[in-house]
Each structure stands twice: as structure tokens, then as C-alpha cells.
Amino acid sequence: MELLLSDEVLAVLVPIVVYWAYCGLHATLGQSMYMDKYRLHPSSHEDIKNRVSKRQVISNVLKQQLVQVAMVAMVMMFKVKEESVISTKTSYLKLACQIAVAMVWFDVWQYACHRIMHTSRFLYRNLHSWHHRLVVPYSFGALYGHPVEGFVADTIGGTAAFLVSGMSPRASIFFFSLCTIKVIDNHCGLSLLPNWDRLSFWNSAAYHDVHHQLRGGKYNYSQLFFVVWDRIFGTYMPFLIEDKGEGMLQVRAPGLDYRRINK
């Protein structure tokens, strides 16, 4: 019983459980008419505009998660188990620094992979275009994409962040659960906290929505936590969150023609 509940096993399983549980929460909330005022697109557009069915999306994500489980399990086998109980303020500081290093590393890795996938016609056509079949993103589709891209951007990138930061398996449970929640929030299609979405450094559903719409694919490559990489490398597109007056929100940006998007 102790083996099943070890930090290494939890590090493999918990982020996956968090993914489906948090997606389920979003799906449940999304059925309420009271959530319409937070939507960036009508819920019907998830089926009308997207070029892949939800069944295919779920199947794809599950297959990718099987690969992630195998990869993480192998890494944990060779990782020296660290003391799991933090008893001093220094330990808390060390943990905070490890998570900060992992966040920055993973963010930079994701930005670089994402931008390369767009700037290379070959990679976009054969790999990244899978993810952009979701013109209107939703929670379950946060990790949908070509398995090769998922392995490089998510599995290898996340493993590298774990090793570079030097965090323990227990710390990785919290870090990768945080990453999971954040990637879902960025794809959920709901602006639940518009004031947070307007922050100039924090990624959000509204920020990433710009990327998924038409010419927006050339901008806003930042994937997880921060948008500073777009600002540094000149791929940042500013946007406004407006009330459409129909009980819904709308993201407006200079490069987006919403007359075409909302047809």
C-alpha cells in the first residue's frame, strides 16, 4: 500500500487526475446559462467551427497521457528520492526557488517550441496544425495535438524543467498540477476573471484566444504562465475584452476580423 502511495507514483498520476477533474468542472460549469456572460465564443461554435470531434480530442489526449506516464515513470525510477517533509523556512525558500526555476524554464521551452512550429511551414502543416483544428478552444482540448509535438513540447520540456530545477517528486506533484490547471484555463474559452485577463504579464484564455483566431496565429505564442517572451521577441498582440451586449464577452485585437470569425 505504501508503494502505491509513494511520491513517485503520485507524481505520475495526480496531474492526469487533475486534468480530467478540472476539465470536468469546466464542462459542468459551461452547461449553466449563468456562464454565458463569461464566454468568449458561443458554446455551439465548439462543434460548428472546430475541425475535429470531441471524441477524437479525448482519444488523442488519453494516448498522449499514456506516453507521459511512461516517460515520467522512467524518470522517477532514476531520480533519488528526497526527504518529503519540509521542516524549516530555508526548505520552503528552496522549494519556491525550484518551482520558480521550473516555471521559467518550461515557459521558455514552450514558447520556443510553439514559435518554431509556426515559423516552419513543414512543422506547422504536419504537426502543429492538429492543435489549430480547434478554432474555438475548450477545456478538454487543452492538450490536443500531434503526438510528436506533445512529446517534444510537453513531455520532454516538462521532464527537463523537473531535472533542471532539482525539485523532488513531491514538489513535482504540485508543479505539474499547477501547469495542468494553467493550460486548461488558457484554453477553456471562459474569461472568469476579466481583470486578471487584462494583466500585461499573465497568460489567459483571452490572450490565447487571439492566437487561435485567423491571423492571430502569428502572435501570442506564450503557452503557460507569462507573456513576457512575446514582448521580448516582438510577437505580442495587444487586445481588449469587450461586452458584446448579448450576455457574452469578446476579445478584440488589431489583427483579428471578428466579422469573419463570428459568421
Side-chain angles (χ1 to χ4, degrees), residues 64 67-68 71 105-106 108-114 116-117 123 127 146-161 223:
Q64 290 196 66
V67 174
Q68 291 175 3
M71 182 73 171
W105 172 276
F106 203 14
V108 172
W109 180 279
Q110 291 267 313
Y111 175 85
C113 288
H114 193 191
I116 290 171
M117 288 289 172
L123 292 178
L127 299 181
H146 195 286
V148 173
E149 180 186 359
F151 182 75
V152 174
D154 299 328
T155 306
I156 292 181
T159 300
Q223 290 273 72

Side-chain angles (χ1 to χ4, degrees), residues 25 28 30 36 56 60 75 77 81 91 150 246:
L25 176 62
T28 301
D36 288 346
Q56 290 173 308
N60 172 275
V75 172
M77 285 176 59
K81 187 174 182 180
S91 296
E246 302 170 3

